[in-house]
Amino acid sequence: MKNPPGSIDDSNPVRQTHDSIKEVWGKRTPHNGEWPVRKDERILEEPDEWIQSACLLCSNDCGLDIGVKDGKIVGVRGRVEDRVNKGCLGPKGLHGWIANQSPERLTKPLIRKNGKLEEVSWDEAMNLIVDRSREIRDKYTGNAFGFYTTGQLFIEEYYNIGIIGKAGLGTPHMDGNTRLCTATAAQALMETFGSDGQPGSYADIDVTDTIFLMGHNMASQQTVLWMRILDRLAGDNPPKLIVVDPRVTYSAEKADMHLAPKVGTNVALMNGILNLMIEAGNIDQDYINAHTTGFDGLKEIVSKWTPDKVESVTGVPADQLKQAAKIIGTTSTLFSTVLQGVYQSMQATAAACQVNNMHLLRGLIGKPGSGILQMNGQPTAQNTRETGDDGALPAFRNWDNPDHISELEKLWNVEHGTVPGWVPPTHAMQIFRYAEQGSIKMLWIVATNPAVSLPELGRIRKILSKEDLFVVVNDAFLTETAELADVVLPAALWGEKTGTYTNTDRTVHISYKAINSPGEAKSDLDIFLDYAKRMDFRDKDGDPLLKWNDPESTFEAWKKCTVGKLVDYTGITYEKLTGGSGIQWPCNEDHPEGTERLYGDSNFRTYPDICENYGHDLVTGAVVSPQEYKAKSYNGKAILKEADYQPPHELPDDEYPLCLTTGRVVYHFHTRTKTARSEELNNAAPDVFVQISKEDAEKYGINEGDKLEVESRRGKAQGPALIGDIIPGHIFMPFHYGYWDKPGHPRAANELTITEWDPVSKQPYYKYAAVKIRKIEEYSQLEESEHEGLGEKIVKEVKNIGKMGSDERGQIRPVQEEKVAEKEKEKIHVADYIGLVHQSEQQLEQAFKDVAEHHKDEPDVYAACNLLASWSKIHYEKIEKFKDHYSEHKESEPGDLRKEIFHGPRSGGVGLVRDLHDLWLLANESHISWIVLLQAAKSLRDKKLESVCEECDQQNRRQMAWILTRIKQAAPQALVVPS
């Protein structure tokens, strides 16, 4: 294959320690206790000087030096003094810097004129952005602005963007592509420990007895971290390795235990492991009692997940499950990582929380060799979470805590009410939905490529092409997204600017500017400082809102934002980061050299005045209110949150018989914008492929290399067949490949994926979609109309919900019919309320279904309303069993009430709010009916009726909590901004 246009030949180095394309993980340095150093380097010309930096092509952030000669980068070498990598570098780190000198770099701003992007001056581009910003703000308020950022900027850049959005414009619509890779990591940590912040450390790998990789192909995704594990495995006392993945990846090949569940069944698998641990007594009950809460609820849910039941749902053999649970339950130390196989799949947050629970049941946290890393996908994803560019508030403050909002407004010296704390922050998929509806008028996209990386790409291209949406893009290249923008600003890359960033295990690095950017390209920090100045953003005293003008002064401002927080940077300076290793936060007077692990004292961040949020219902996503949270009195205890298994919302069927999952390959990052500019990396992985099992290949008559077309309800993609190393019924495609270097070749995996997301973390589901395949003679250039079809069904209605017994759904089995005493039959008014609640739940079921069907374009509404409708069906089926006990007096009131108050379903943003409003009223009718009937059951001492009333009303409260959560999220945008 020829190199992509503009690539630089990096195939003939002057010096390299090893060929990282052929030997991805290099040679082994076995150890048992401390990882030896190994300086990797790759140099095309002998440098004149070396500049300190860290790699920016995965979440490891390996320390490296940049070699510079004659004003250009000529090589890199690993920093042996750095705690993260001890001098080791992976293939992307050794080759990815080639992108900096690509002739395809953008060098001047572009503005769309007469349908084409044309080069203009910075003044013309920025004046247009500012004029449109003021016009939109004055006419529509800050709610009409959306920011979609990246996982590749520096702390200093993120912090400025966050202040501009939250305090300058006052918009809640700020998120990044870290929503695609790390949102669940943050949420799982908050749900269990009260706050974001990784408990573990990379150093735990050096001394642990057992490593558990859950949905994490570390060998391909964090190559240097995998080197560290390989070196432990090669030592005298290797740890046990358990890998959970539906594919036989490089990681799985090295595992002592490889568990290969069907995609979307992670909660069932983890519940099974936890059940076996509890049954065997392989838990630390004293630790559980002293430092956790919620054990009884967790035990009740997982007790139903026997090995045989887990096997029937996940496909993992019962014997394998037992072996894995025994290893985990008896190991003295345990190090676990979790990544996209969990985060981008069904019940993402619930599954990730079960890994947290696994550690807490053993008391294995905060100790050498025992840690959890809810891994990050992107290099600086941690910083989006810390600075608040992912929808959070800076320094892990709580959106629902008024004191935290006031604290931030005081720090920024703005009027009370400036920061939009009245509405939940908007996640990325909802931002694009608002843009689709027309209530977001300006969308600023920074250093990311949603036209390839978001789900259901035909839909995304239509949104970005809308005439009433003003799209601004900062990027170094003319990506598929930039090609659709109204203004494109040329941005500096890594190595062309100075700043700091933080990796997965909380290690902060500094990266110094080594070379100048080409042409007129500027750093994102300079772009946003310029924007703030031109917009004349000011604090309440009339001073500039942004009171700094370079990276170091911005970093000092950021440090003030972290004072006294878990994410405390106050002990870190540019000087301290220079010359040695990166430093782990918290770093302050008490911890001047940083902090290796969190929670060594088992005092967690669950106090109501410091927690980052109050938690959610893991099944529906409904928020827990501050009052409910405070009533729980967690106060420093970790929260063991349970969740029963829910099946994926799109399952294979006769028309689409296979399940698609997506992921990475070792040589590329994100959408290949940088890595494909390296000849070596691109030649190693030049194109997409379709991985299929041997069994399915035989079934469909497919041979290795056959050209295949994969089709879902949303689109099509094509690629050659790769046979083997995946479980039957599944196919895999890497998501990196778009169209900039192969226009017209339909190869983007996200043409196929679904627009739906985890109800808690709001992370999109990339790991399952129903597809069909066929062999083709040649790769075709599909008509544009075939790419763009949205499809009538975004997600598939959940099958068979409500048809299972207690073993499957966590519901009490139907009450057996029994002969009752004559005096019980005389309680005729019980019959009134049996009829009332029966009819109320039937009406509520139908209303949920109506709203779901009418609002299919709101995937979370569609999925949640169908689920909640199934609950109401279960409720009235349960109460029907009491008809022979007490009779039933049919009531027409619920039906009359629905006719009176439910006037939907309606269309549009306001229509959705009105429909949810009506659902809330109907749900309250059911709620009060259950309360009345419960009191009667207590009086009658009918324990079975009492149990059903309590259980159904508990679920009814969860229905209402979800409705209220969604109303709060939807109302401000729908009522304030016309669409």
Side-chain angles (χ1 to χ4, degrees):
M1 174 183 170
K2 293 183 178 180
N3 300 332
S7 62
I8 303 299
D9 183 353
D10 60 331
S11 59
N12 295 302
V14 169
R15 186 167 70 251
Q16 67 176 356
T17 46
H18 71 284
D19 185 342
S20 63
I21 302 299
K22 296 179 180 178
E23 298 178 276
V24 174
W25 306 285
K27 299 186 186 305
R28 301 281 54 82
T29 53
H31 76 99
N32 181 34
E34 185 170 347
W35 193 25
V37 300
R38 186 189 87 190
K39 183 188 287 188
D40 289 338
E41 63 180 359
R42 191 167 193 281
I43 301 166
L44 298 186
E45 298 181 52
E46 204 62 45
D48 293 331
E49 60 178 331
W50 292 97
I51 307 296
Q52 181 179 345
S53 183
C55 185
L56 204 65
L57 287 169
C58 85
S59 60
N60 225 43
D61 297 1
C62 298
L64 59 75
D65 293 323
I66 301 172
V68 178
K69 181 178 182 179
D70 298 330
K72 67 177 182 179
I73 300 174
V74 294
V76 292
R77 67 183 184 190
R79 293 180 60 81
V80 296
E81 57 268 70
D82 197 273
R83 64 170 303 278
V84 169
N85 59 313
K86 302 292 184 73
C88 293
L89 293 174
K92 292 192 289 289
L94 289 166
H95 291 269
W97 54 270
I98 291 293
N100 285 69
Q101 55 208 49
S102 168
E104 291 191 335
R105 290 286 302 276
L106 295 175
T107 59
K108 294 194 69 174
L110 305 172
I111 287 180
R112 188 169 299 280
K113 296 181 178 181
N114 299 317
K116 294 183 179 181
L117 290 170
E118 299 181 4
E119 289 187 349
V120 296
S121 68
W122 271 99
D123 277 340
E124 185 176 351
M126 293 305 294
N127 286 342
L128 175 60
I129 294 170
V130 168
D131 289 345
R132 292 298 298 272
S133 296
R134 287 175 174 163
E135 176 188 343
I136 291 169
R137 179 190 59 186
D138 294 346
K139 189 173 182 179
Y140 301 111
T141 77
N143 278 35
F145 293 86
F147 287 83
Y148 184 63
T149 58
T150 181
Q152 302 176 63
L153 300 183
F154 295 171
I155 291 172
E156 296 79 0
E157 294 169 322
Y158 288 127
Y159 191 48
N160 277 284
I161 295 171
I163 297 174
I164 286 171
K166 292 178 175 67
L169 294 169
T171 179
H173 309 317
M174 304 192 73
D175 204 357
N177 68 17
T178 50
R179 181 66 54 186
L180 317 181
C181 73
T182 190
T184 301
Q187 198 60 55
L189 294 170
M190 287 185 257
E191 297 291 332
T192 301
F193 306 118
S195 176
D196 195 351
Q198 301 286 357
S201 170
Y202 287 168
D204 290 326
I205 293 173
D206 301 340
V207 294
T208 192
D209 293 318
T210 302
I211 298 171
F212 181 77
L213 306 184
M214 179 73 177
H216 182 194
N217 181 16
M218 187 189 291
S220 292
Q221 295 169 7
Q222 285 86 21
T223 51
V224 172
L225 199 59
W226 182 242
M227 294 174 195
R228 198 165 190 157
I229 288 180
L230 289 177
D231 287 349
R232 268 302 316 274
L233 294 176
D236 295 333
N237 185 27
K240 293 287 187 182
L241 176 62
I242 302 173
V243 172
V244 180
D245 199 303
R247 296 194 300 141
V248 184
T249 61
Y250 298 121
S251 306
E253 287 178 352
K254 292 290 184 179
D256 296 278
M257 291 289 306
H258 173 211
L259 308 181
K262 299 174 185 176
V263 298
T265 64
N266 291 322
V267 166
L269 178 76
M270 286 306 304
N271 281 353
I273 289 174
L274 297 181
N275 180 42
L276 287 169
M277 290 169 59
I278 294 170
E279 278 192 340
N282 290 331
I283 58 176
D284 188 335
Q285 194 67 56
D286 290 339
Y287 185 91
I288 292 168
N289 295 340
H291 300 297
T292 75
T293 182
F295 175 72
D296 290 341
L298 177 67
K299 181 179 179 181
E300 180 182 356
I301 289 293
V302 304
S303 65
K304 295 170 292 189
W305 287 93
T306 63
D308 288 343
K309 182 179 175 184
V310 171
E311 181 174 351
S312 69
V313 172
T314 69
V316 173
D319 287 344
Q320 283 191 17
L321 190 79
K322 292 175 184 177
Q323 292 177 52
K326 184 176 181 180
I327 293 171
I328 294 164
T330 57
T331 185
S332 59
T333 52
L334 174 66
F335 174 75
S336 297
T337 69
V338 185
L339 198 55
Q340 312 301 19
V342 170
Y343 300 162
Q344 294 177 347
S345 192
M346 186 68 184
Q347 294 183 280
T349 306
C353 283
Q354 302 322 302
V355 178
N356 296 343
N357 290 343
M358 183 174 71
H359 277 259
L360 290 169
L361 291 182
R362 294 291 323 281
L364 298 180
I365 188 170
K367 307 169 184 177
S370 291
I372 305 162
L373 293 179
Q374 296 284 351
M375 291 292 295
N376 303 338
Q378 298 230 22
T380 67
Q382 189 65 45
N383 298 129
T384 66
R385 288 145 54 179
E386 294 169 6
T387 60
D389 276 19
D390 68 336
L393 284 180
F396 301 162
R397 289 173 171 86
N398 188 338
W399 268 103
D400 289 325
N401 189 327
D403 292 339
H404 288 198
I405 300 285
S406 297
E407 187 180 84
L408 199 58
E409 290 172 332
K410 183 178 179 181
L411 175 71
W412 293 342
N413 195 34
V414 295
E415 297 288 350
H416 179 65
T418 299
V419 176
W422 58 85
V423 61
T426 313
H427 62 94
M429 299 305 296
Q430 192 65 52
I431 288 173
F432 278 85
R433 175 60 176 153
Y434 286 152
E436 184 176 47
Q437 291 176 312
S439 67
I440 282 182
K441 310 294 183 182
M442 176 174 169
L443 181 59
W444 201 326
I445 300 170
V446 184
T448 189
N449 192 13
V452 176
S453 62
L454 283 181
E456 196 178 348
L457 291 181
R459 186 175 189 172
I460 298 304
R461 286 191 293 269
K462 283 189 174 182
I463 293 170
L464 293 173
S465 302
K466 289 175 84 250
E467 290 187 5
D468 62 346
L469 179 66
F470 184 64
V471 178
V472 180
V473 170
N474 295 13
D475 211 301
F477 296 92
L478 193 64
T479 64
E480 292 89 339
T481 300
E483 287 180 341
L484 300 174
D486 297 287
V487 180
V488 182
L489 302 177
L493 285 175
W494 162 94
E496 300 166 2
K497 56 187 179 180
T498 294
T500 55
Y501 41 95
T502 311
N503 78 346
T504 297
D505 85 335
R506 296 172 284 105
T507 302
V508 184
H509 285 103
I510 192 164
S511 178
Y512 282 105
K513 179 177 179 178
I515 62 171
N516 291 324
S517 301
E520 299 176 15
K522 295 182 180 182
S523 72
D524 294 284
L525 176 63
D526 287 339
I527 291 171
F528 281 102
L529 286 172
D530 184 27
Y531 176 71
K533 184 176 181 180
R534 291 173 187 260
M535 287 292 291
D536 198 27
F537 292 132
R538 296 191 176 273
D539 66 15
K540 65 182 182 181
D541 294 329
D543 296 324
L545 181 62
L546 305 183
K547 301 171 178 62
W548 40 84
N549 53 24
D550 62 15
E552 189 166 8
S553 60
T554 304
F555 184 76
E556 291 300 314
W558 162 242
K559 286 165 57 177
K560 292 178 182 177
C561 188
T562 71
V563 172
K565 304 300 180 184
L566 177 65
V567 54
D568 194 334
Y569 276 71
T570 54
I572 302 176
T573 63
Y574 272 30
E575 181 181 4
K576 197 169 184 176
L577 290 171
T578 302
S581 173
I583 300 170
Q584 289 175 287
W585 63 253
C587 180
N588 49 31
E589 289 184 0
D590 295 332
H591 304 279
E593 302 306 317
T595 306
E596 186 88 274
R597 298 169 187 87
L598 301 182
Y599 308 127
D601 58 359
S602 296
N603 186 24
F604 301 99
R605 306 286 292 184
T606 53
Y607 298 91
D609 58 333
I610 64 172
C611 66
E612 190 174 354
N613 73 27
Y614 299 121
H616 299 74
D617 183 317
L618 294 187
V619 175
T620 68
V623 297
V624 176
S625 72
Q627 294 77 20
E628 291 175 295
Y629 187 89
K630 290 174 183 177
K632 297 288 186 180
S633 299
Y634 298 125
N635 295 332
K637 290 188 174 183
I639 306 169
L640 296 167
K641 301 198 84 165
E642 79 282 354
D644 210 349
Y645 166 70
Q646 301 287 329
H649 294 161
E650 182 168 270
L651 297 168
D653 56 19
D654 291 341
E655 185 178 4
Y656 296 93
L658 298 171
C659 188
L660 169 74
T661 185
T662 68
R664 296 182 173 98
V665 296
V666 70
Y667 300 107
H668 285 303
F669 173 73
H670 202 46
T671 61
R672 301 169 57 252
T673 305
K674 290 182 287 190
T675 52
R677 262 81 187 187
S678 158
E679 179 186 30
E680 294 283 279
L681 293 175
N682 193 65
N683 287 346
D687 211 343
V688 74
F689 58 84
V690 181
Q691 188 173 9
I692 185 170
S693 72
K694 292 179 180 178
E695 294 87 343
D696 288 328
E698 291 177 3
K699 176 180 177 181
Y700 290 99
I702 295 170
N703 297 311
E704 185 92 10
D706 281 353
K707 299 176 177 64
L708 302 181
E709 181 175 83
V710 185
E711 181 178 356
S712 75
R713 290 176 171 84
R714 292 153 294 277
K716 299 176 182 179
Q718 299 173 352
L722 176 66
I723 296 176
D725 294 337
I726 189 170
I727 60 177
H730 293 61
I731 63 171
F732 170 86
M733 294 181 69
F735 66 77
H736 305 288
Y737 300 89
Y739 306 113
W740 65 268
D741 58 333
K742 278 198 172 183
H745 176 28
R747 59 178 179 167
N750 284 322
E751 302 286 358
L752 311 170
T753 48
I754 64 176
T755 300
E756 195 180 352
W757 47 85
D758 179 66
V760 183
S761 68
K762 317 302 183 188
Q763 187 158 349
Y765 292 144
Y766 291 100
K767 298 303 184 188
Y768 69 81
V771 297
K772 58 186 176 182
I773 59 172
R774 69 180 182 93
K775 286 199 293 185
I776 55 177
E777 293 301 318
E778 297 294 339
Y779 296 126
S780 64
Q781 295 191 1
L782 298 183
E783 295 295 328
E784 186 66 12
S785 60
E786 291 187 71
H787 285 295
E788 301 291 5
L790 292 179
E792 292 185 5
K793 302 202 77 169
I794 296 172
V795 291
K796 189 175 183 180
E797 186 171 2
V798 180
K799 292 184 175 180
N800 299 322
I801 288 181
K803 296 183 179 179
M804 304 176 185
S806 63
D807 288 345
E808 288 81 10
R809 298 286 308 166
Q811 310 295 338
I812 297 174
R813 287 193 178 277
V815 176
Q816 299 300 313
E817 298 184 11
E818 298 174 357
K819 187 174 181 180
V820 296
E822 191 68 27
K823 64 179 181 179
E824 290 179 305
K825 290 188 177 182
E826 295 173 358
K827 306 293 184 181
I828 58 172
H829 296 298
V830 173
D832 293 338
Y833 264 85
I834 286 177
L836 191 64
V837 77
H838 185 259
Q839 294 296 310
S840 294
E841 291 289 355
Q842 283 187 325
Q843 296 297 329
L844 185 56
E845 179 201 21
Q846 190 57 52
F848 272 124
K849 285 184 174 180
D850 289 346
V851 172
E853 192 65 24
H854 192 74
H855 295 285
K856 284 184 176 179
D857 286 342
E858 306 288 347
D860 62 324
V861 173
Y862 180 74
C865 283
N866 273 318
L867 174 64
L868 301 183
S870 75
W871 289 3
S872 286
K873 184 175 187 292
I874 292 170
H875 297 169
Y876 68 70
E877 287 177 345
K878 286 179 180 297
I879 206 64
E880 284 176 351
K881 302 301 180 181
F882 291 90
K883 287 180 183 179
D884 288 344
H885 290 246
Y886 301 107
S887 187
E888 176 186 14
H889 182 191
K890 291 286 186 181
E891 289 284 351
S892 62
E893 289 178 16
D896 295 339
L897 181 65
R898 181 165 177 260
K899 290 176 184 177
E900 287 295 322
I901 67 173
F902 191 72
H903 301 292
R906 310 162 180 89
S907 298
V910 176
L912 174 61
V913 172
R914 291 296 305 276
D915 287 348
L916 294 171
H917 182 160
D918 292 352
L919 276 177
W920 166 260
L921 296 174
L922 287 175
N924 272 277
E925 167 70 9
S926 290
H927 170 59
I928 195 62
S929 299
W930 285 116
I931 292 295
V932 172
L933 195 57
L934 173 63
Q935 296 307 110
K938 289 179 178 178
S939 177
L940 290 165
R941 293 180 174 81
D942 186 335
K943 295 298 183 183
K944 293 180 178 179
L945 179 58
E946 183 180 335
S947 178
V948 167
C949 289
E950 288 177 340
E951 182 189 4
C952 292
D953 185 52
Q954 183 180 18
Q955 276 200 324
N956 177 255
R957 290 170 188 266
R958 292 171 72 187
Q959 289 172 319
M960 292 194 295
W962 177 84
I963 296 168
L964 187 58
T965 297
R966 197 60 175 85
I967 287 173
K968 288 181 176 179
Q969 186 265 312
Q973 193 72 9
L975 272 60
V976 172
V977 183
S979 61

